[in-house]
Amino acid sequence: MFIVEETIVGAEATQIPKQRGESLLETAVRYAEERHWDVFPGTWLEAVDGAQRCSCGDAACAAPGAHPSRPDWATQATGSATVARRMWQKQPTASILLPTGRTFDAISVPETAGFLALARMERMELTLGPVTLAPDRRMHFFVLPGASVKVPDLVRKLGWSLSSLDLVALGEGEYVAAPPTRFGSRGAVQWACRPTPANRWLPDAEELISPLAYACGRDR
């Protein structure tokens, strides 16, 4: 695990805050209420023979406790704090998942490339949106909707082949797990750049793609 303070010096928004013990229900409601993000409850963790297992029942689940629990999850997502509260009251330990392609898209890169890109972005004085760091060692940079369509062409214009970079734009029909969702025993999703009043307005993918592509190229 990288120590953010040693990688990025300065901007408070790039430091991963400590988990404050806020419940999943309270957090989901706050995302809907304060950020106007759609949210939906995913799977959850259950204790089975002393081990944490995903509620989906698959012992080899790749994202235990951190994926949709039903195929129609997209229709379940809500931006209503009242509805979100009602859903998590039914299953208080359900993960918090955020659909992409609505109020934001996300650009997903490996953790090592993500920290390199964050340092580069700070030097370039770019304005960032929220960024998550997940236990599967992926970072997700929140950008304006439409990135999933733009990114392939933007990467080509920079001289890279998208297939050669471990960079993925998540848009309509996809999702990201939000803090403090846990991935089994691997730990919880955290904010590498947490939501603040200053980053309520998200950057366009075009503003971030150069340092992200460069970092992914270095990380190959």
Side-chain angles (χ1 to χ4, degrees):
M1 173 63 68
F2 282 74
I3 304 301
V4 178
E5 289 80 4
E6 292 182 358
T7 308
I8 307 161
V9 178
E12 179 187 51
T14 58
Q15 295 178 355
I16 298 175
K18 294 178 180 178
Q19 298 298 332
R20 302 189 184 280
E22 190 173 36
S23 74
L24 289 159
L25 183 154
E26 292 168 338
T27 307
V29 168
R30 188 159 51 82
Y31 289 154
E33 201 165 52
E34 296 179 9
R35 300 296 292 201
H36 305 294
W37 290 338
D38 283 4
V39 297
F40 68 98
T43 52
W44 56 92
L45 297 172
E46 299 175 332
V48 179
D49 297 328
Q52 296 274 295
R53 294 284 180 83
C54 185
S55 61
C56 72
D58 182 0
C61 181
H67 64 86
S69 60
R70 45 196 285 183
D72 63 342
W73 62 264
T75 62
Q76 191 185 19
T78 180
S80 164
T82 301
V83 176
R85 182 177 298 279
R86 192 180 307 135
M87 289 194 295
W88 266 271
Q89 282 174 339
K90 292 178 181 177
Q91 182 48 255
T93 58
S95 53
I96 303 173
L97 305 180
L98 310 175
T100 49
R102 300 188 183 187
T103 51
F104 63 87
D105 278 6
I107 301 177
S108 173
V109 299
E111 177 187 287
T112 49
F115 278 122
L116 177 62
L118 281 175
R120 192 174 178 86
M121 289 171 186
E122 186 181 60
R123 290 195 297 273
M124 296 169 70
E125 298 184 346
L126 294 179
T127 301
L128 290 175
V131 182
T132 62
L133 170 60
D136 62 358
R137 305 184 77 82
R138 303 287 301 183
M139 293 178 76
H140 298 87
F141 290 71
F142 289 24
V143 293
L144 288 172
S148 60
V149 176
K150 294 180 180 180
V151 161
D153 190 48
L154 291 173
V155 169
R156 280 193 295 271
K157 286 180 179 178
L158 290 170
W160 296 95
S161 163
L162 190 60
S163 61
S164 70
L165 301 179
D166 190 0
L167 182 153
V168 181
L170 305 175
E172 188 175 356
E174 297 171 290
Y175 64 90
V176 296
T181 295
R182 297 192 67 83
F183 276 57
S185 60
R186 286 182 281 172
V189 183
Q190 301 179 73
W191 289 114
C193 184
R194 65 182 180 271
T196 67
N199 65 19
R200 182 173 292 278
W201 301 104
L202 299 174
D204 190 276
E206 192 167 359
E207 299 172 57
L208 306 186
I209 197 65
S210 178
L212 285 171
Y214 170 80
C216 286
R218 286 278 305 271
D219 193 50
R220 287 187 301 174

